[in-house]
């Protein structure tokens, strides 16, 4: 979801990652849902693990689609995966997960006050 909106995320990627985790923590508090986010690149000030109700994970390799591959490893039947990537959406749907587009999820975050 980082990069889904032109909010200057490219100027400070670690800050964008922290902002996303803060918004997801708000969402988790409001909905009671378990939330996990997977990033391509590790951020030293945002280690893997729990952050305010959000499980932060990182790709297990570098390169193209690294985070997508990690999502494929972690997804379970019944999960909801937020992505606008067609290939990832098809793969997680085949694994029994529901798919929600990034734009729709951003609207949901706003609707929930996050």
């Amino acid at each position: 979801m980082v990069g889904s909106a032109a909010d200057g995320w490219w100027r400070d990627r670690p800050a964008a990652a922290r902002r996303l985790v803060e918004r997801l923590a708000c969402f988790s508090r409001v909905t009671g849902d378990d939330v996990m986010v997977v990033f391509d690149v590790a951020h030293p000030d945002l280690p893997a693990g729990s952050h305010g109700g959000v499980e932060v994970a990182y790709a297990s390799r570098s390169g193209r689609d690294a985070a997508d591959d990690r999502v494929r490893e972690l997804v379970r039947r019944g999960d909801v995966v937020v992505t606008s990537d067609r290939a990832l959406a098809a793969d997680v749907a085949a694994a029994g997960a529901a798919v929600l587009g990034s734009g729709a999820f951003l609207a949901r975050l706003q609707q929930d006050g996050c």
Side-chain angles (χ1 to χ4, degrees):
M1 289 203 12
V2 173
S4 295
D7 61 359
W9 63 268
W10 56 89
R11 288 189 295 267
D12 189 348
R13 292 172 192 243
R18 287 190 306 274
R19 284 192 305 270
L20 177 58
V21 170
E22 289 168 7
R23 291 185 79 187
L24 294 174
C26 171
F27 177 79
S28 179
R29 285 189 305 274
V30 168
T31 64
D33 290 343
D34 293 330
V35 177
M36 174 182 275
V37 61
V38 178
F39 292 110
D40 284 318
V41 178
H43 302 289
D45 62 334
L46 192 61
S50 184
H51 296 268
V54 177
E55 188 69 23
V56 173
Y58 290 101
S60 52
R61 65 170 179 82
S62 61
R64 183 173 167 81
D65 297 328
D68 292 354
D69 287 348
R70 184 74 173 131
V71 170
R72 288 178 180 97
E73 292 171 10
L74 295 168
V75 72
R76 301 288 178 257
R77 181 169 298 285
D79 287 348
V80 177
V81 175
V82 176
T83 185
S84 294
D85 182 278
R86 289 182 187 158
L88 179 59
D91 290 346
V92 299
V99 177
L100 182 62
S102 298
F105 187 66
L106 287 171
R108 172 77 190 271
L109 287 175
Q110 186 171 19
Q111 174 187 327
D112 289 343
C114 300

